[in-house]
Amino acid sequence: MLDHEEKLSKVATGHEIDGLEDGPGPEKYDPNLNELDVVDSVGDEKYGQTTRGLKSRHIQLIAIGGCIGTGLFVGTGATLSTVGPAPLFMSFCVISILVWIVMQDLAEITTYTPATGSSVPFYVNRYVEPMPVAVWITIILLVIVGLNIFVVSWYGESEFWFASIKIIAILGLIILGNVLFFGGGPNHDRLGFRYWQRPGAFIPFAAPGDTGKFLAFWTSLVRSGFAFVLSPELIVIAAGETEAPRRNIPKASSRFIYRLIVFYVLGSLVISVIVSSDDSLLLQAVNSGQKDAGASPFVVGIKRAGIKALDHIINGVILTSAWSAGNSFCYAGSRSLYSLALTGQAPKIFRTCNKQGVPYLAVAVTALLACLVYLSVSSGSATVFTWFVNLTTISGYVAWIVVLITYLRFRSGLEYNGIFGQRPYKSPGQPYTTYAALSFFIVLTLTNGFQVFFPGKFTASSFLAAYITLPIFIVLYIGHKLWFRTPIFYPASKIDVWAGKEEADRLEERDVPPIARNVWEKIWFWIA
């Protein structure tokens, strides 16, 4: 095999490299594995590879509604009853901004080289340093088991229709919120911002006065992350199976801000308008540990408005949303395992794909892990659900911290090689927005369990749920450094910014964007 510098030179100049077509992939994890060795494993005919079968409309709807599920429809009820409407709305606004920054970073990285097997660990391995597999498996598993996961055969098509249902439902709920705001419901009761005045915009948390109001906002900020987990990463994972990725990934990323504003920001505002934080139905559901549609503030608000049958329809929407989120997370988990196998950090067998390009063994293992969801049928289901929510949320924050660091290293590699201006997609406000989001997520992660340190509030279970992810991550990371003797970061001179670029350039050259023939097609092409 050629050494690293010779390979990069040949890739940069468009020359072929001997041995890349059928060279064997690594059996075990190799900390010195570079991206061109990954190409060896992708081209192994024994295992096959994924195909670019996701159409533009698939990736756009996945971006818009893929991960929206119980976090928004149900989990917001407990937060509302704990801290009040103002912290709920404010926290969704703040987290939306931070997640948008993460999405922009990932879009810029992915659009540059949308390689087969794309995933967050794929790019961490490339631009930061080889990440220990256990860290990513821990994060992935905590996310997967925290949701109801069902596997479907045609992911893109099913998610297109699932997301469509969610979009229509949320838009309908926003319209309903406006109608009830002005008194257009069956009882003609004009709500306005009544519940912001009585019982009040804030419910002080853990302390009286302004301190309690701030802690209420911070508590909501920590909890609201659950509704956003894996939202930006899903687009990255789908990039390796998306047609015309350099056209469709930026398109999905630019639409992402509308999803955040409409679904999360306006959705949380509607909740604060139609439901009181001290509503008896809501409190009963929360206090009893109810985690199904009956605990949804949307359902409670509709019942209070006296609109018959609509609450049952929303129950159905919530069910399909949970199913859709499980579908998305199963896809994300299986493709992440596939990506780890491509880079030698998971058994090679998980690279195996069928004739349709589906890594079915990775899907099967991911689906088996969903059996842990049966814990929710036990008498302690509320406790189990709370643990899963906490672990999933903090794991998501840790993953986003790693994503932001990866983006900064990606920039360093491009700048060192003098090709920073050649990025196909350029996100705004960089690198300042990334530094701001990185700082915020670090503080949020470290303080997520602040309430356990108040007098009389400490319990071992609460402390572990809030912080167990951090020592696991740190121990695995440091242990990996010591065992494999790898640097903390690749120096900029060692970051590979060439592998996969030529293929991405060729895909872009062959791409023929559709041309709208009328106004309806213009609207459709803008959406999908």
Side-chain angles (χ1 to χ4, degrees), residues 9 23 44 53 89 169 201 223 225 236 271 295 328 371 386 414 436 458 521 525:
S9 175
D44 195 332
F89 175 68
R223 293 185 180 185
V236 176
I271 289 171
S328 295
C371 292
T386 301
L414 294 182
F458 184 87
E521 286 193 350
F525 290 160

Side-chain angles (χ1 to χ4, degrees), residues 135-432:
V135 171
W136 285 108
I137 288 180
T138 300
I139 292 173
I140 293 166
L141 294 190
L142 290 174
V143 169
I144 293 171
V145 300
L147 295 167
N148 296 325
I149 298 175
F150 296 88
V151 180
V152 295
S153 300
W154 296 280
Y155 170 72
E157 198 64 36
S158 64
E159 198 52 43
F160 174 83
W161 294 108
F162 276 138
S164 298
I165 292 172
K166 286 186 281 190
I167 292 169
I168 294 171
I170 293 180
L171 291 177
L173 288 170
I174 291 172
I175 294 172
L176 174 64
N178 278 277
V179 171
L180 296 179
F181 183 94
F182 292 105
N187 54 17
H188 302 293
D189 182 16
R190 182 173 180 176
L191 296 178
F193 285 103
R194 174 190 303 171
Y195 300 134
W196 286 60
Q197 299 171 350
R198 293 187 306 274
F202 289 85
I203 300 176
F205 185 85
D210 292 339
T211 300
K213 292 179 180 179
F214 173 77
L215 294 179
F217 163 68
W218 201 257
T219 299
S220 181
L221 203 60
V222 171
R223 293 185 180 185
S224 63
F226 178 68
F228 295 81
V229 168
L230 263 187
S231 293
E233 293 95 322
L234 194 59
I235 299 176
V236 176
I237 294 169
E241 299 175 73
T242 302
E243 62 180 23
R246 282 195 171 170
R247 171 165 53 87
N248 289 320
I249 299 301
K251 183 179 178 181
S253 177
S254 63
R255 304 291 188 275
F256 195 75
I257 186 63
Y258 303 119
R259 162 192 169 176
L260 295 173
I261 292 173
V262 173
F263 291 173
Y264 292 106
V265 176
L266 293 183
S268 63
L269 182 61
V270 166
I271 289 171
S272 72
V273 167
I274 66 175
V275 184
S276 170
S277 59
D278 64 352
D279 186 283
S280 59
L281 288 177
L282 181 64
L283 293 177
Q284 180 182 358
V286 172
N287 294 334
S288 64
Q290 191 173 347
K291 300 300 179 184
D292 56 15
S296 169
F298 290 109
V299 172
V300 173
I302 289 169
K303 287 182 177 179
R304 291 303 188 195
I307 305 175
K308 297 180 179 180
L310 184 57
D311 57 330
H312 299 297
I313 295 174
I314 299 303
N315 283 341
V317 171
I318 293 173
L319 176 62
T320 59
S321 295
W323 196 324
S324 169
N327 183 30
S328 295
F329 279 98
C330 184
Y331 177 83
S334 62
R335 288 340 186 254
S336 294
L337 182 57
Y338 172 75
S339 176
L340 289 168
L342 286 182
T343 55
Q345 299 183 60
K348 291 175 66 175
I349 192 172
F350 292 120
R351 301 184 321 187
T352 306
C353 298
N354 60 20
K355 294 180 180 180
Q356 290 73 40
V358 177
Y360 60 93
L361 293 179
V363 171
V365 170
T366 304
L368 285 175
L369 294 170
C371 292
L372 286 173
V373 80
Y374 287 107
L375 290 171
S376 64
V377 303
S378 67
S379 58
S381 60
T383 302
V384 172
F385 182 84
T386 301
W387 266 72
F388 281 167
V389 168
N390 290 344
L391 293 173
T392 301
T393 303
I394 303 309
S395 297
Y397 289 155
V398 172
W400 289 337
I401 289 171
V402 174
V403 166
L404 295 167
I405 293 173
T406 301
Y407 173 75
L408 294 174
R409 301 307 301 156
F410 166 72
R411 285 178 62 96
S412 297
L414 294 182
E415 289 171 348
Y416 178 85
N417 285 274
I419 56 173
F420 185 68
Q422 297 182 23
R423 293 166 297 157
Y425 178 75
K426 300 176 178 65
S427 54
Q430 299 292 355
Y432 310 107

